[in-house]
Amino acid sequence: MACGTPLDAPIPAEERRLVTVLFADIAGFTERFERADPEDVGAVLQSFHARSRQEIEGFGGTVDKVAGDVVFGLFGAPTTHEDDAERALRAALNIMQRTHDADEDDMARVLGVRIGIATGEAMVSVGEGPRVGERVTGDVVNLASRLCSAAAPGCIVVAESTFLGTRSQFRWEDLGAIEVRGKTDPVRIWRPIEPLARVGVEPPDPLGAPFTGRGMELDDLRRVFEHTRRDRHPAMVTIIGEPGLGKSRLIAELSRFTDDLPDLIRWRVGRPSAYGQVTTFGPLADIVKAEAGVLHSDDTDIALAKLDEVVERVMDDPSERSRVRGHLSSLLVGSDVAGEVSLDEAFSAWASFLEALAAENTTVLVLEDMHDALDPLLGFLERLLERDRSVPMLVIVAARPELLERYPGWGVGPAAALVRLAPLSRDDTTRLVRSLLGSQPLPAETRDAVVRRAGGNPLYAEEFIRTMQERFDGSDLMGDPGQPVHAVLSLPPSIHALLASRLDALPAELRSTVQDASVVGAVVWAGAIAHVDGRPRAQVVRHLEELVERQLLRRVRTSSIKDQEEFTFRHVLVREVAYGQIPRAERARKHAAVAEWIG
């Protein structure tokens, strides 16, 4: 057999995935280079391919194919991130910026790059190695390609599916609807203008969904803040909760409280970076940059000059100024501290700087997404609280439960408090949904379905309502009485991506167990899963128990089937996403196995 795939080649694993597809090409390239020398063509393409690949891979995507002047980038496979659509857009904006900044003789700049982006389900076959290399099929691929072809030179065009998942992360221009080959109805498109800053001087924006069902937790947070402010003693509060339960919103409500106080309260915010230049102490660098007024556009000399000014202002001792300035400068230039001795010295200098800020004004340091933080940064925060300094400084750590899985003893101590966020009650979720709707009518059946599918997660409730409001005009939310509820309440891409990333983070055997459990149903028995894949039941039980610890399943104390361990999904949408990842043929096989076990 001279051509084709060898008979003994491994068959790549197939899976249904929510992906964001990016197509980029050079407008008018074929016509311009129709009779050009091959070396000239190669030079232009090599430069364009290199900068596109660097940006796509730098934001966690993969370059699936390069053909002529076309680059096909993929986000969401082989690894899913909850912000894949945002990553694709940031990569696209950077590609455009680098093309704009290129030499005036660069042909990609002369002709103009155009990019099309779409988000949707695709069948992905992942081969061995670091890249997706076998097959990505689905309408989302065709749509992104068509949008790329329809885009004007120098323009990024985004499908509605991508816009809905990233509308709050970018400033947008609505381009209306266009006719797209292969689509019966016109397709609405948007152009991203620029990303909105995620790291800032201010706490999270308190606007958005009404604050509901977190009064006790807010009272706890306010008490710790008041104690810190009154007694001038550092403290730390760790807020633990699953994505969407309202960690950032709780912090925002505290900021509203402090805004009403007569004295000035300093807020500084930092978070680990999930892509780009990732450094161990990035969140601390965010705080220092915000205090010094360092902008992303500032070069190193300007940034260090601004740092000098703030150190001069808050540090009285000249020798201390020199020590602190030296160690803070490493944060600004993005270099990590190396060596145990220098790390201790850096910790001392950084702590002295933060304490000087708190001595000047009561200071709240907010560190978000700290489940992604590296160990040395967490160690620094612990040491910061251990120092015997009389300053009013409150450190707020917001994280998912994974932080406590890594550090079971985190957040415990005389100067530390732990706030755990549970899902909202059904009554609170109903009140939230009514508030989000305002005066807009919604059938009772659909409203109850939103409450049920949100499962006590305020972000999910808000995303369902916002998605419906953007897909339907005002009164149309009442919908067609004959239209099934599930047709109106399709899973928003933002929620799908968030849950898919949680499943992707599981070890392979646990991920397989979740998918098998999704086929069994909302109620799951260990024996059924063992029968589906032929695994020992004891092994399945261990995996199910681990999924309980990871808060994806619940253990049912009294099983409805004798001698069978019984579990349920914590959230119906986890089951929905896990089930959706299984190809149809494999689903059918698993369903038949479950039916055989039950029968």
Side-chain angles (χ1 to χ4, degrees):
M1 183 180 294
C3 305
T5 303
L7 294 177
D8 58 350
I11 300 174
E14 282 194 318
E15 196 167 61
R16 298 171 68 99
R17 290 271 188 159
L18 180 74
V19 298
T20 297
V21 174
L22 180 156
F23 271 90
D25 72 6
I26 303 173
F29 181 84
T30 302
E31 295 81 2
R32 182 64 176 261
F33 280 84
E34 184 178 8
R35 293 184 174 84
D37 186 279
E39 291 188 25
D40 296 333
V41 176
V44 173
L45 292 180
Q46 185 177 17
S47 174
F48 173 58
H49 294 163
R51 73 172 66 121
S52 298
R53 183 184 297 279
Q54 185 176 16
E55 294 299 338
I56 291 169
E57 294 182 350
F59 282 93
T62 59
V63 176
D64 188 68
K65 292 182 181 67
V66 173
D69 68 318
V70 178
V71 174
F72 172 12
L74 186 68
F75 295 80
T79 300
T80 301
H81 307 96
E82 63 190 72
D83 56 352
D84 276 317
E86 179 184 346
R87 290 165 180 256
L89 285 165
R90 288 180 180 272
L93 287 166
N94 279 12
I95 291 170
M96 287 297 188
Q97 185 60 49
R98 289 185 62 179
T99 300
H100 179 269
D101 294 342
D103 186 273
E104 291 185 2
D105 293 331
D106 186 281
M107 192 53 62
R109 173 178 176 176
V110 173
L111 298 177
V113 172
R114 54 188 183 178
I115 297 176
I117 300 175
T119 301
E121 278 198 322
M123 282 295 297
V124 180
S125 299
V126 182
E128 295 183 359
R131 303 187 191 285
V132 175
E134 304 299 334
R135 185 172 64 251
V136 181
T137 57
D139 181 64
V140 64
V141 179
N142 297 327
L143 178 57
S145 176
R146 299 282 189 265
L147 293 182
C148 179
S149 299
C155 186
I156 302 169
V157 171
V158 170
E160 181 179 42
S161 53
T162 306
F163 166 75
L164 289 175
T166 57
R167 57 190 178 279
S168 60
Q169 279 81 49
F170 297 84
R171 192 159 63 87
W172 294 93
E173 178 186 359
D174 187 343
L175 299 179
I178 62 171
E179 298 290 336
V180 173
R181 185 159 57 91
K183 291 288 185 181
T184 304
D185 299 322
V187 174
R188 286 197 67 187
I189 57 173
W190 284 261
R191 180 176 75 89
I193 299 172
E194 62 182 359
L196 301 176
R198 298 191 62 191
V199 178
V201 177
E202 301 298 330
D205 188 350
L207 301 178
F211 186 66
T212 306
R214 300 288 186 214
M216 292 178 60
E217 292 88 346
L218 180 58
D219 287 343
D220 291 341
L221 203 53
R222 287 171 56 175
R223 276 193 292 271
V224 176
F225 170 80
E226 289 284 28
H227 175 76
T228 298
R229 177 168 166 256
R230 182 187 67 242
D231 297 343
R232 297 182 64 83
H233 196 280
M236 180 171 68
V237 176
T238 301
I239 305 173
I240 296 292
E242 295 290 346
L245 286 184
K247 299 182 292 295
S248 294
R249 185 54 189 273
L250 184 61
I251 297 169
E253 291 300 318
L254 177 66
S255 78
R256 296 184 68 173
F257 166 73
T258 65
D259 285 346
D260 293 334
L261 298 176
D263 47 338
L264 178 65
I265 308 298
R266 174 190 284 106
W267 283 78
R268 296 291 179 259
V269 184
R271 58 166 55 82
S273 175
Y275 43 72
Q277 185 181 26
V278 179
T279 59
T280 304
F281 301 102
L284 183 57
D286 294 337
I287 290 169
V288 175
K289 289 176 181 177
E291 181 62 34
V294 175
L295 306 176
H296 291 298
S297 56
D298 290 343
D299 61 27
T300 301
D301 290 341
I302 294 176
L304 292 177
K306 290 181 176 181
L307 176 64
D308 286 345
E309 291 179 8
V310 72
V311 172
E312 183 83 16
R313 188 191 81 230
V314 301
M315 310 295 296
D316 295 328
D317 185 344
S319 62
E320 185 71 352
R321 286 178 195 159
S322 177
R323 182 179 76 94
V324 169
R325 184 189 297 111
H327 287 289
L328 289 179
S329 63
S330 65
L331 292 175
L332 295 194
V333 300
S335 62
D336 274 334
V337 180
E340 189 173 326
V341 175
S342 61
L343 191 61
D344 286 339
E345 293 173 351
F347 280 9
S348 173
W350 298 341
S352 294
F353 176 73
L354 296 177
E355 289 161 355
L357 296 182
E360 187 179 61
N361 297 106
T362 299
T363 297
V364 180
L365 305 178
V366 179
L367 297 157
E368 296 200 89
D369 297 336
M370 288 295 281
H371 47 275
D372 289 330
L374 299 177
D375 292 354
L377 176 58
L378 297 173
F380 168 71
L381 295 180
E382 290 181 323
R383 290 206 205 175
L384 183 63
L385 289 184
E386 292 169 357
R387 289 164 61 96
D388 187 18
R389 299 292 190 274
S390 180
V391 291
M393 178 169 56
L394 176 61
V395 179
I396 301 178
V397 172
R400 298 178 186 175
E402 294 93 294
L403 176 63
L404 299 186
E405 292 173 10
R406 289 167 55 195
Y407 293 95
W410 178 265
V412 177
L418 192 63
V419 176
R420 295 177 183 265
L421 298 186
L424 297 178
S425 67
R426 184 177 180 85
D427 288 344
D428 283 336
T429 308
T430 301
R431 280 192 287 272
L432 175 61
V433 169
R434 290 182 184 276
S435 298
L436 288 166
L437 287 169
S439 61
Q440 287 183 294
L442 189 69
E445 180 188 9
T446 306
R447 186 183 63 241
D448 291 345
V450 171
V451 172
R452 185 172 59 255
R453 284 169 67 74
N457 189 304
L459 174 65
Y460 295 178
E462 184 176 8
E463 285 296 299
F464 276 121
I465 296 300
R466 287 178 66 184
T467 300
M468 282 194 294
Q469 288 171 333
E470 287 169 350
R471 286 179 175 167
F472 303 97
D473 292 329
S475 60
D476 289 340
L477 282 176
M478 290 299 293
D480 180 352
Q483 188 178 35
V485 170
H486 67 77
V488 180
L489 278 178
S490 58
L491 189 62
S494 56
I495 300 177
H496 191 152
L498 192 154
L499 294 175
S501 69
R502 286 190 68 194
L503 296 178
D504 250 19
L506 297 173
E509 64 274 10
L510 294 185
R511 192 152 167 264
S512 175
T513 300
V514 171
Q515 291 180 348
D516 289 347
S518 73
V519 175
V520 176
V523 180
V524 180
W525 299 276
I529 295 177
H531 187 73
V532 167
D533 272 352
R535 287 178 286 167
R537 182 169 143 185
Q539 181 187 77
V540 170
V541 171
R542 286 198 304 273
H543 291 164
L544 291 171
E545 293 287 5
E546 189 167 346
L547 290 169
V548 170
E549 293 178 7
R550 293 171 182 259
Q551 300 190 31
L552 293 170
L553 299 179
R554 287 192 183 94
R555 178 76 180 257
V556 178
R557 291 188 177 183
T558 304
S559 177
S560 58
I561 297 180
K562 185 179 179 180
D563 299 328
Q564 283 293 326
E565 299 84 355
E566 186 172 307
F567 300 80
T568 61
F569 279 90
R570 276 186 172 269
H571 203 293
V572 63
L573 298 182
V574 173
R575 182 198 172 206
E576 184 174 321
V577 172
Y579 185 81
Q581 292 177 334
I582 309 170
R584 287 200 303 265
E586 185 66 5
R587 282 184 209 164
R589 184 194 69 78
K590 291 177 185 288
H591 275 296
V594 172
E596 183 180 68
W597 181 82
I598 293 174

